[in-house]
């Protein structure tokens, strides 16, 4: 799951047009320790959020090519209808 879309978006005008079937790409945040690193998610070259902490072990266990990209399989919206998270398949 990708989380933090609302918070990243507040700073970078998050694209609200991310839809099921779109691809997102993951990169470890520069400067973070490898074991505790934040994994940022990007859509069309823009940071849109972060891989949820409970998925970090899975991400780190995969080889580099497999863990770089995922497909959006669901949207999570808050009570206002704002895009708040994404379910992804890595």
């Amino acid at each position: 799951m990708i989380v933090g879309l609302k918070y990243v978006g507040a700073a970078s005008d998050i694209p609200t047009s991310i839809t099921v079937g779109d691809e997102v790409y993951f990169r470890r945040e520069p400067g973070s320790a490898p074991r505790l690193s934040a994994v940022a998610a990007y859509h069309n070259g823009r940071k849109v959020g972060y891989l949820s902490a409970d998925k970090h072990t899975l991400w780190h266990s995969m080889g580099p090519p497999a863990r770089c990209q995922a497909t959006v399989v669901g949207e999570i919206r808050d009570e206002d209808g704002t895009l708040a998270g994404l379910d992804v398949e890595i």
Side-chain angles (χ1 to χ4, degrees):
M1 179 182 331
I2 298 174
V3 297
L5 279 77
K6 289 171 57 170
Y7 305 105
V8 171
S12 65
D13 189 33
I14 186 171
T16 55
S17 61
I18 300 172
T19 59
V20 172
D22 284 357
E23 291 185 348
V24 292
Y25 299 88
F26 297 109
R27 287 197 310 240
R28 187 171 68 80
E29 287 281 73
S32 6
R35 297 187 92 196
L36 303 172
S37 64
V39 179
Y42 292 82
H43 178 263
N44 291 334
R46 297 176 83 175
K47 187 188 312 181
V48 295
Y50 295 91
L51 186 65
S52 60
D54 63 327
K55 302 298 182 200
H56 283 202
T57 301
L58 171 65
W59 189 81
H60 287 292
S61 72
M62 301 171 94
R67 69 182 185 197
C68 289
Q69 137 182 5
T71 301
V72 175
V73 294
E75 296 176 338
I76 301 165
R77 298 198 174 262
D78 65 11
E79 61 277 352
D80 297 328
T82 303
L83 188 61
L86 298 169
D87 283 328
V88 295
E89 184 175 278
I90 297 176

